[in-house]
């Protein structure tokens, strides 16, 4: 069974600083990997996804993530954080489950942005 | 409307009440999902419907009863809930296929008194 670990429960960064959120996964085959963002009281919005091909994936809102198979990691990065990026971020791994994707989520990293 | 919508957005109910949550997707997808999001816990997959057929029940108590009358609508019927069932209930949909992304609704915040 697949699993996801987000080691940082809470991260605080200054506006304009760079950001990296860590994600490690466990899955026997080639994983499908996702990053979602959730603002307070809202559902999850997809930031980016990796299925195959280029290991550096570009997403919305200036985010990118790099798939590193040797480290079983899929870390999310942004070069310059904006106050509106304050939210909770979820890494997830998907697996084929007979016609649909069964997605397992991490416990999330809450991002605080200070002026 | 576009995307995935959920109603109501907030619901307060007593333990003896019966209520239903509704989800509608406007994306032409064939798979729909119910997730439970509790504080400090990962999202828990509850049910999956693929082409209106239930394909996953993740050991969910029978006080939660899903219904999928067509590929665009998904309901979660609630009865005799417990306070620990208070959570954010999220609906998602996806096209069928192993590389298809799930798109989420805004959720229903449920409080059981």
């Amino acid at each position: 069974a697949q699993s996801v670990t987000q080691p940082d429960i809470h991260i605080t960064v200054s506006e304009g600083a760079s950001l990296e959120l860590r994600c490690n996964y466990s899955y026997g085959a080639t994983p499908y990997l996702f990053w979602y963002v959730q603002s307070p009281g809202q559902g999850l919005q997809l930031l980016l996804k990796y299925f195959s091909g280029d290991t550096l994936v570009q997403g919305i809102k200036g985010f990118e993530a790099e798939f590193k198979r040797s480290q079983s990691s899929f870390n999310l990065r942004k070069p310059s954080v904006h106050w509106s990026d304050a939210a909770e971020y979820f890494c997830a791994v998907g697996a084929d489950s007979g016609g649909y994707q069964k997605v397992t989520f991490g416990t999330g990293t809450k991002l605080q942005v200070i002026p | 409307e576009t995307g995935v919508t959920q109603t109501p957005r907030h619901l307060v109910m007593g333990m003896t009440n019966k209520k239903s949550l509704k989800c509608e997707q406007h994306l032409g997808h064939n798979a729909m999902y119910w997730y439970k999001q509790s504080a400090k816990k990962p999202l828990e997959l509850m049910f999956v419907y693929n082409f209106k057929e239930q394909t996953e029940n993740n050991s969910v108590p029978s006080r939660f009863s899903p219904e999928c009358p067509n590929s665009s609508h998904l309901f979660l019927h609630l009865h005799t809930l417990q306070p620990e069932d208070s959570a954010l209930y999220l609906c998602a949909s996806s096209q069928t296929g192993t590389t298809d992304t799930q798109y989420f609704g805004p959720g229903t915040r449920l409080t059981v008194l």
Side-chain angles (χ1 to χ4, degrees), chain A residues 4 32 34 36 38 40-46 48-49 51 88 90 94-108, chain B residues 9 31 33 35 37 40-43 45 48 50 55-56 58 88 90 94-107 109:
Chain A
V4 177
Y32 304 120
F34 307 85
Y36 284 88
Q38 185 179 33
Q42 300 298 314
L44 277 69
Q45 180 183 20
L46 180 71
L48 48 80
K49 61 186 179 184
F51 287 159
E88 191 157 19
F90 293 91
D96 178 16
S97 188
Y100 68 93
Q101 258 208 44
K102 187 168 184 177
V103 180
T104 300
F105 289 84
T107 49
Chain B
R9 293 293 309 276
Y33 311 76
Y35 287 87
Q37 186 178 29
K40 301 182 180 179
K41 293 176 69 175
L43 267 76
L45 179 65
V48 181
N50 201 15
T55 53
E56 182 111 11
N58 204 19
L88 183 68
L90 292 164
S94 71
Q95 194 54 275
T96 50
T98 58
T99 59
D100 291 308
T101 304
Q102 292 181 23
Y103 292 86
F104 285 79
R109 172 67 64 186

